[in-house]
Amino acid sequence: MERVIYYYFNLEFMYEALPVLLKGLVITLELSAITIVGGVILGLLLAVSRALRIKVLNFFIIVFVDVFRAIPPLVILIFAYFGLPYAGIIISPFWCAALTLVLVLAAVAEEVFWAGIIAVERGQWEAARSTGLGFFTTLVYIVTPQAIRLVIPPLTNKVISITKNAALASVVAVPELLNQAITAQGVYANPSPLTLAALMFILIFFPLVRFSSYLEKKYHYDA
Amino acid sequence: MENGTLPVGKSDIVVIQGLSKTYADLRALNDVNLSVKREEVVFIIGPSGSGKSTLLRCINRLEEPTAGSISIAGATITDRGINLNRVRQDIGMVFQSFNLYPHMTALGNVVLALRLVRKMRKAEARDKGLTVLREVGLADKIASYPAELSGGQQQRVAIARALAMEPKIMLFDEPTSALDPALVGEVLSVMRAMRDKGMTMIIVSHEMDFAREAADRVIFMDEGEIVEQGPPQQIFVNPSHPRTREFLSRMLNT
């Protein structure tokens, strides 16, 4: 028991590692925020564009979505970091990770938003069009707001599961939370900083998880 | 009746000629000819699948006719280059399932097209919205969302939404079929008031009593064709076609 406390809950090492871990936490938060905002907005834009039913455009959207949903995010990240420089494209590790996660989340979010757009009743289109509203106006003012409401609960779940991948950035040497914790663990020859990092991850994502359950309840009845 | 080309009168606001609509293997409308006069109230009755709703939905081109022409207030709306969004502003439509925008209040539902289509200023659109909502008896419900309203109230908001655009004609696609029997009356009385104000209305409905009372003309459709038409007294009391008689005896005895 003593050994468990010494190795995993060593307050002294946790305290010493805290400043570095907090720095890492900030980067993880930044990365998460960029992923969520960028991914959700891009996903929504793609879904709305897809509703315009322009054949060539839809082809590219569908290919993009399928490819980015099929490849593990880690593979995309490694490719962006180690592969793109051969094409003369050099992006900082942080932005490699950010770009990867934004694109992965955008692909997933597009699917979710698109499902929402199709789920809006035909009668809504007809009612709007019958008052002289154009296709695009109807899409923007009538259909998309309803689609967003429909998909908020499934979307928050996807957002959480994609955003958790922010920890992958440690692989390309971004000094985010996990990376700092691994380094600290090496320095102190003690895994307690990892425990602390795990607690911090819970701190970030637990509110999101609760928030998503709350939304699920809230949007369960109306619509 | 004969399916020839009708003489086009000056007071005709809707003129439909040779209208057909075919789906893959189904003939929904077969060479329908019909004209409606200004301020006329026309009821279309008939069994389900007879093409009533399809005919109505062709009139604002929610349904694309396969052949034939429709003109409204002199504009041929079946022409290829026609600006549909412009045409539809003159044609109000009320749906069986109301189709209110669930994310907007009653007033929001009514003013949306005023703002976006008519390009009215906020205050002006609001005034107009309040006026039509008062007309349908819902001045106290302007801030309510559709989910907070009864079916009858929702349908009245939907009527107000159409009326706000000051349409030249109003189309009703089974406006009371989705309603609780107790709520039918309030919707019918709004329609009655519109009739009294001189609105041209084409109404697809199963409310035979209302048709008898409010119709200038009743049209009986079956299998995509107009079988018989005339004033309500004639159609309801003394129908000449056996199919009309059969339909009416079924409707009136249940």
Side-chain angles (χ1 to χ4, degrees):
Chain A
M1 190 62 200
E2 241 168 69
R3 288 170 66 93
V4 169
I5 290 173
Y6 178 81
Y7 281 117
Y8 296 102
F9 299 95
N10 194 314
L11 290 179
E12 193 188 327
F13 291 144
M14 280 189 185
Y15 182 74
E16 277 182 41
L18 189 62
V20 216
L21 259 58
L22 282 176
K23 268 189 204 157
L25 177 68
V26 170
I27 293 178
T28 297
L29 283 173
E30 283 170 356
L31 194 53
S32 304
I34 292 170
T35 303
I36 294 172
V37 174
V40 169
I41 290 176
L42 183 60
L44 179 61
L45 286 178
L46 287 172
V48 170
S49 312
R50 188 168 170 187
L52 302 177
R53 295 183 195 275
I54 302 166
K55 272 198 180 139
V56 186
L57 183 63
N58 281 10
F59 175 78
F60 285 112
I61 292 174
I62 292 167
V63 168
F64 164 77
V65 167
D66 287 355
V67 165
F68 276 80
R69 287 201 314 159
I71 307 177
L74 181 58
V75 176
I76 300 171
L77 177 61
I78 300 277
F79 187 87
Y81 187 66
F82 295 103
L84 288 184
Y86 289 93
I89 304 166
I90 298 169
I91 312 172
S92 76
F94 178 85
W95 284 105
C96 272
L99 188 69
T100 300
L101 294 179
V102 164
L103 292 180
V104 170
L105 181 55
V108 170
E110 191 280 338
E111 279 297 292
V112 177
F113 282 125
W114 177 241
I117 288 175
I118 322 183
V120 172
E121 279 175 55
R122 215 174 77 141
Q124 291 291 312
W125 284 98
E126 293 184 344
R129 299 305 303 274
S130 78
T131 59
L133 257 65
F135 177 89
F136 192 69
T137 323
T138 304
L139 181 62
V140 171
Y141 285 88
I142 303 300
V143 176
T144 306
Q146 292 183 53
I148 291 175
R149 267 168 207 233
L150 285 173
V151 304
I152 279 178
L155 185 67
T156 41
N157 286 328
K158 304 269 186 191
V159 165
I160 293 168
S161 67
I162 303 290
T163 310
K164 279 196 291 193
N165 287 317
L168 288 180
S170 58
V171 174
V172 293
V174 175
E176 48 68 70
L177 183 51
L178 177 61
N179 199 347
Q180 300 287 31
I182 295 170
T183 310
Q185 175 243 229
V187 170
Y188 303 113
N190 184 299
S192 293
L194 285 173
T195 312
L196 183 56
L199 290 172
M200 286 180 171
F201 274 113
I202 292 173
L203 206 71
I204 303 176
F205 287 103
F206 188 72
L208 281 178
V209 172
R210 291 310 315 160
F211 183 58
S212 120
S213 313
Y214 161 78
L215 287 177
E216 238 161 80
K217 276 199 198 94
K218 182 167 183 243
Y219 287 103
H220 185 68
Y221 292 107
D222 45 20
Chain B
M1 72 152 254
E2 297 269 316
N3 267 335
T5 304
L6 293 172
V8 178
K10 253 191 192 154
S11 61
D12 288 331
I13 187 165
V14 180
V15 179
I16 299 169
Q17 287 176 316
L19 192 73
S20 294
K21 169 75 183 176
T22 44
Y23 297 102
D25 52 351
L26 179 84
R27 183 169 277 190
L29 290 176
N30 188 17
D31 193 24
V32 170
N33 295 286
L34 171 69
S35 22
V36 175
K37 289 184 177 26
R38 248 170 247 282
E39 306 202 355
E40 194 178 12
V41 174
V42 174
F43 273 74
I44 306 176
I45 61 171
S48 58
S50 59
K52 320 180 289 283
S53 286
T54 309
L55 172 60
L56 201 69
R57 291 161 57 83
C58 279
I59 298 177
N60 69 354
R61 280 186 59 192
L62 282 181
E63 214 70 66
E64 212 48 63
T66 315
S69 76
I70 300 171
S71 77
I72 289 172
T76 309
I77 65 152
T78 38
D79 276 353
R80 277 193 128 248
I82 199 96
N83 180 351
L84 266 187
N85 295 338
R86 176 71 203 79
V87 164
R88 284 174 174 153
Q89 294 173 36
D90 292 335
I91 311 168
M93 181 138 190
V94 174
F95 301 85
Q96 179 177 354
S97 48
F98 328 137
N99 298 347
L100 290 183
Y101 314 134
H103 58 305
M104 295 180 188
T105 62
L107 186 64
N109 267 273
V110 175
V111 300
L112 184 83
L114 297 178
R115 298 274 287 143
L116 296 175
V117 179
R118 290 267 192 251
K119 311 282 181 201
M120 279 188 189
R121 287 178 190 286
K122 214 171 185 175
E124 190 190 356
R126 190 185 155 85
D127 281 350
K128 179 73 191 169
L130 290 174
T131 308
V132 288
L133 281 169
R134 201 174 302 128
E135 262 176 59
V136 301
L138 291 173
D140 55 334
K141 297 286 184 193
I142 58 167
S144 303
Y145 284 87
E148 300 161 356
L149 298 172
S150 74
Q153 291 169 332
Q154 288 188 56
Q155 193 60 298
R156 285 188 283 151
V157 173
I159 292 174
R161 176 173 66 184
L163 274 182
M165 298 296 285
E166 299 184 347
K168 294 190 175 120
I169 68 167
M170 286 279 294
L171 310 175
F172 293 84
D173 192 0
E174 305 203 18
T176 56
S177 299
L179 292 179
D180 224 53
L183 303 175
V184 169
E186 59 190 75
V187 171
L188 295 187
S189 67
V190 167
M191 292 170 68
R192 207 172 282 125
M194 290 167 70
R195 175 205 146 91
D196 294 343
K197 280 191 174 173
M199 177 61 76
T200 309
M201 309 204 269
I202 305 178
I203 303 164
V204 169
S205 176
H206 292 295
E207 300 287 337
M208 295 302 156
D209 290 333
F210 184 52
R212 195 173 306 178
E213 164 213 329
D216 294 311
R217 182 159 43 128
V218 177
I219 290 173
F220 173 67
M221 283 186 74
D222 195 14
E223 294 177 353
E225 294 178 357
I226 293 178
V227 175
E228 183 174 358
Q229 58 178 308
Q233 301 84 342
Q234 179 195 320
I235 300 291
F236 288 116
V237 180
N238 193 16
S240 63
H241 202 285
R243 275 195 283 175
T244 319
R245 261 179 251 146
E246 193 216 344
F247 172 74
L248 286 174
S249 69
R250 244 186 309 130
M251 284 306 290
L252 300 175
N253 290 336
T254 47

